[in-house]
Amino acid sequence: LAAKRRELASRYQLAFRLTGIATGSHGHAINPAGIDPKRALRRIESGKSIARLHVGDPVLDTLDFIRRRPAQILFEITPLDPIKGQPALDHIRTALEHKIHVITANKGPPALAYRELRELARKQQCHFRFEGTVMDGAPVFNLVEKTLPASRVLGFYGILNATSNFVLTEMEKGRSFRRALKRAQAMGIAEADPSYDIDGWDAAAKTAVLANVLLGVQIRPSRVDRKGIGAVAAEDLEKASRKGRVLRLIARVSRRGGRTVARVAPELIRQDHPLAQVRGTSSALVLETDTMKELIVTEMEGTVEQTAYALLSDVLTVAQSLS
Amino acid sequence: LAAKRRELASRYQLAFRLTGIATGSHGHAINPAGIDPKRALRRIESGKSIARLHVGDPVLDTLDFIRRRPAQILFEITPLDPIKGQPALDHIRTALEHKIHVITANKGPPALAYRELRELARKQQCHFRFEGTVMDGAPVFNLVEKTLPASRVLGFYGILNATSNFVLTEMEKGRSFRRALKRAQAMGIAEADPSYDIDGWDAAAKTAVLANVLLGVQIRPSRVDRKGIGAVAAEDLEKASRKGRVLRLIARVSRRGGRTVARVAPELIRQDHPLAQVRGTSSALVLETDTMKELIVTEMEGTVEQTAYALLSDVLTVAQSLS
């Protein structure tokens, strides 16, 4: 938001004010007149609470924070819980019930309760947007919604978990699993709990969101046939290489008859397949459509900046519908 | 249109009627009550004129055909003329002057006169859309316009000419240049004049359209530094392979200072680059943006069906703005 402040004003006649921040361990702050994000960041980075920036009655908890609604948009960016989706699910429900638009990068809620949240948003005449849940700000949901009219998504497969892909491609270079994982964590790309990346939960949650939204089915992350990269050994990569293949954690959904088959697992990919060249923190999704056959979107070397852009692009979708 | 008739009605409340067809060598036909496309196709495929399907005063020429405007949308799909853009340019100007929306897959007009046509369309409150000019129906212009808000395209590079790519990748398999080109023509992917593909004119025209639209510059195809694949020999491909590279016809635009550098030429691409895996009639575009860094769209094995979808997707953009 800070980097694009001028452009938002000149190109979209859009101004914004940060009126509240709720954190897990650094307190809450509400100020309808606006909070300086840099000041809040400085406090958090030096380990202090942001409660000092708060104006008005004390905040009881995050739901109380949301209910006070001094804002038009809630950004829900708590960490993933692939089983219960909490506390994000309650945050989002509360916001929508109070007619606050919701933009989230948390996969849990749309993976677990997409239909419920979509219907609640519709009823409340609010937006519920989540472009950042899959491949950061690379258009995936917006791609299908806004640029592939009259098309049907028949299935998809792709590389959706940056940490696993980073670890696998570092191992290809001869690094150990542990060292590669440590580097991913240092880069800030791993989930708060890295086992969610390594065990395939993050990819399974993304798979569920994609299936729910693009294929119109209802699949929970726990129903995705899931195998992570924890058991992959250096020998597996060497064996793959000798066969002209590479090992990648692939998320895959297809429909057979009326049945939906959803799977996350390490797969051998031919070196001449576009997905074989997706390395490090890059990610890619192959959409199988009735109109464009296979269409691939690839995000090169995603960082948290690209996740931030996902939230911004959703803000603009919301803003354009309100103007 | 025929394949999607039901879906257009149910999902978009959209019905259509084909009220006129103008051809280069099979005559013209106008019928405000509707022309059966299958009947017209049968006549054309058996070498006959479609004038038999015409109702009313004889059609003098294609501009006369357009001026009679029994239609809301003109599909301009004549072959490419990268120097003068004719007759497409006059067709499009005439249609817009008569308040007919224009959808084209012809690169010439937006390559040569994008600003003029955009302004004319704006003045006439008409749409001028051309998603099909680059990578068939794969979203390129729509991707930037509809899914990358508040982003700037800083440059791009990609594989944009299917015929050249098909020929190069067939040569990699050991086929001769001539046999590969003949196959491309038989598949219907080559331009009417294949020298436009082989000499890089088609890619240069696409490069100009992309630069004009996405970078806001004004470049004509003749100003693109252009080198085709005509001089590529089997030895070049072998030499590339020995260096761990492949040869691809790459279109590339970058800005250096205030200057725009636009080029089409065979380039050596590292085998581990995503573009190296773009083979046959597949195509790919790498967009360099300020928000998403490098974002790649890949169309796998495009055929004329995917070009047809480009026109359909533009119809839906037009229809949605009218409803």
Side-chain angles (χ1 to χ4, degrees):
Chain A
L1 282 167
K4 287 285 179 181
R5 184 182 282 276
R6 274 194 200 179
E7 197 172 340
L8 293 178
S10 63
R11 232 167 112 182
Y12 300 93
Q13 290 74 52
L14 205 67
F16 60 87
R17 202 161 63 233
L18 180 65
T19 56
I21 306 171
T23 73
S25 49
H26 297 271
H28 299 72
I30 294 177
N31 186 345
I35 296 171
D36 177 5
K38 284 184 189 152
R39 209 174 141 203
L41 262 181
R42 271 199 304 272
R43 292 195 68 83
I44 288 171
E45 281 168 355
S46 59
K48 292 177 194 154
S49 165
I50 54 168
R52 172 84 75 82
L53 308 178
H54 179 71
V55 171
D57 292 339
V59 178
L60 303 178
D61 56 24
T62 303
L63 294 184
D64 178 47
F65 170 89
I66 295 168
R67 278 189 209 107
R68 296 201 189 176
R69 59 173 182 292
Q72 293 174 286
I73 299 177
L74 174 76
F75 296 95
E76 214 307 327
I77 44 176
T78 58
L80 171 66
D81 166 0
I83 305 298
K84 302 213 160 152
Q86 294 296 9
L89 205 44
D90 283 343
H91 294 165
I92 293 175
R93 284 181 184 133
T94 304
L96 291 175
E97 279 159 8
H98 289 80
K99 291 197 183 287
I100 301 168
H101 303 293
V102 174
I103 292 172
T104 188
N106 188 321
K107 297 145 280 256
L112 290 158
Y114 171 60
R115 286 203 192 177
E116 175 208 323
L117 297 173
R118 184 189 65 186
E119 292 314 311
L120 178 58
R122 193 170 290 171
K123 196 183 123 212
Q124 299 292 88
Q125 297 178 287
C126 279
H127 286 276
F128 169 51
R129 299 205 72 89
F130 42 81
E131 185 63 76
T133 56
V134 178
M135 288 176 67
D136 304 322
V140 172
F141 303 105
N142 287 332
L143 185 88
V144 173
E145 180 187 329
K146 301 183 183 191
T147 75
L148 292 174
S151 296
R152 278 193 310 136
V153 178
L154 309 171
F156 61 83
Y157 60 100
I159 294 172
L160 303 178
N161 180 259
T163 301
S164 296
N165 204 55
F166 181 85
V167 168
L168 287 178
T169 52
E170 286 290 292
M171 285 173 76
E172 277 171 11
K173 296 184 209 157
R175 303 235 160 78
S176 75
F177 183 95
R178 282 183 64 186
R179 264 192 67 192
L181 178 59
K182 277 209 170 146
R183 253 193 90 192
Q185 287 175 296
M187 287 162 73
I189 55 163
E191 276 288 322
D193 178 350
S195 72
Y196 282 159
D197 294 306
I198 299 310
D199 296 345
W201 274 113
D202 175 79
K206 287 167 174 164
T207 303
V209 182
L210 288 167
N212 293 346
V213 177
L214 302 183
L215 275 76
V217 299
Q218 283 185 288
I219 290 182
R220 303 166 72 88
S222 56
R223 291 286 307 280
V224 175
D225 182 8
R226 179 181 47 80
K227 192 177 160 187
I229 63 161
V232 172
E235 301 91 81
D236 299 320
L237 298 176
E238 283 157 27
K239 221 163 88 183
S241 171
R242 281 199 300 274
K243 289 184 194 163
R245 286 164 200 252
V246 296
L247 208 61
R248 294 283 182 268
L249 186 70
I250 301 290
R252 188 182 286 279
V253 169
S254 58
R255 304 201 71 164
R256 291 186 200 141
R259 238 180 100 239
T260 306
V261 183
R263 195 175 89 132
V264 168
E267 285 188 22
L268 289 170
I269 300 287
R270 282 173 50 153
Q271 252 153 8
D272 63 2
H273 190 282
L275 289 190
Q277 308 310 329
V278 177
R279 291 191 186 76
T281 65
S282 299
S283 54
L285 179 67
V286 184
L287 291 169
E288 301 166 314
T289 68
D290 64 338
T291 52
M292 286 304 298
K293 298 190 294 186
E294 288 197 343
L295 190 67
I296 313 179
V297 188
T298 308
E299 177 192 10
M300 294 297 277
E301 293 164 22
T303 68
V304 287
E305 295 284 320
Q306 279 65 55
T307 309
Y309 175 66
L311 303 173
L312 179 64
S313 90
D314 280 345
V315 168
L316 286 157
T317 300
V318 172
Q320 278 164 355
S321 84
L322 301 181
S323 66
Chain B
L1 281 168
K4 287 286 180 182
R5 185 182 282 275
R6 273 194 200 179
E7 197 172 339
L8 292 179
S10 64
R11 232 169 110 182
Y12 300 94
Q13 291 75 52
L14 204 66
F16 61 87
R17 203 160 63 232
L18 180 65
T19 56
I21 306 171
T23 74
S25 48
H26 297 271
H28 299 72
I30 294 177
N31 186 345
I35 296 171
D36 177 5
K38 284 185 187 150
R39 211 174 139 202
L41 261 182
R42 272 199 304 273
R43 292 194 67 83
I44 287 171
E45 280 169 356
S46 60
K48 293 177 194 152
S49 165
I50 55 166
R52 173 82 76 80
L53 308 178
H54 180 70
V55 171
D57 293 340
V59 178
L60 304 178
D61 56 24
T62 303
L63 294 184
D64 178 47
F65 170 90
I66 295 168
R67 279 189 209 106
R68 295 201 189 176
R69 58 173 182 294
Q72 293 174 286
I73 299 178
L74 174 76
F75 296 95
E76 213 308 326
I77 45 175
T78 58
L80 171 65
D81 166 1
I83 306 297
K84 302 211 161 155
Q86 295 295 10
L89 205 44
D90 282 343
H91 294 165
I92 293 175
R93 285 182 184 131
T94 304
L96 291 174
E97 279 158 8
H98 289 79
K99 290 197 184 287
I100 301 168
H101 303 293
V102 174
I103 292 171
T104 188
N106 188 321
K107 296 147 280 254
L112 291 158
Y114 171 60
R115 285 203 193 178
E116 174 209 324
L117 296 173
R118 184 189 64 185
E119 293 314 311
L120 177 59
R122 193 171 289 172
K123 195 182 124 211
Q124 299 293 88
Q125 295 178 289
C126 279
H127 286 275
F128 169 51
R129 299 204 73 90
F130 43 82
E131 185 63 76
T133 57
V134 178
M135 288 177 66
D136 304 321
V140 172
F141 303 105
N142 287 332
L143 185 88
V144 173
E145 179 188 330
K146 301 182 182 191
T147 75
L148 292 173
S151 295
R152 279 193 310 137
V153 177
L154 309 170
F156 60 83
Y157 60 100
I159 295 172
L160 303 179
N161 180 262
T163 301
S164 297
N165 203 54
F166 181 83
V167 169
L168 287 178
T169 52
E170 286 289 291
M171 285 172 77
E172 277 171 11
K173 296 183 208 158
R175 304 235 159 78
S176 76
F177 183 96
R178 282 184 62 187
R179 265 192 67 192
L181 179 58
K182 276 206 172 149
R183 255 194 90 192
Q185 287 176 297
M187 287 162 72
I189 55 163
E191 277 288 322
D193 179 350
S195 73
Y196 282 159
D197 294 307
I198 299 310
D199 296 345
W201 275 112
D202 175 79
K206 286 167 174 165
T207 303
V209 182
L210 287 168
N212 294 345
V213 177
L214 302 183
L215 274 75
V217 298
Q218 282 185 288
I219 290 182
R220 303 167 71 86
S222 56
R223 291 285 307 280
V224 175
D225 182 9
R226 179 181 48 80
K227 192 176 161 189
I229 63 160
V232 172
E235 301 90 81
D236 299 321
L237 299 175
E238 284 157 27
K239 222 163 87 184
S241 172
R242 281 198 301 273
K243 289 183 194 162
R245 285 165 202 252
V246 296
L247 208 61
R248 294 282 182 268
L249 186 70
I250 301 290
R252 188 183 287 278
V253 169
S254 58
R255 304 202 73 165
R256 289 184 201 144
R259 238 180 101 237
T260 306
V261 183
R263 195 176 90 132
V264 168
E267 285 187 22
L268 289 169
I269 300 287
R270 282 174 50 153
Q271 252 153 9
D272 62 2
H273 190 283
L275 290 189
Q277 309 309 329
V278 177
R279 292 192 185 74
T281 65
S282 299
S283 54
L285 179 66
V286 184
L287 291 169
E288 300 166 314
T289 69
D290 64 338
T291 52
M292 286 304 298
K293 299 190 292 187
E294 288 198 343
L295 190 68
I296 313 179
V297 188
T298 308
E299 177 193 11
M300 294 296 277
E301 292 164 21
T303 68
V304 286
E305 295 284 321
Q306 279 66 54
T307 308
Y309 175 67
L311 303 173
L312 179 64
S313 91
D314 280 344
V315 168
L316 286 158
T317 299
V318 172
Q320 278 165 355
S321 84
L322 301 180
S323 65

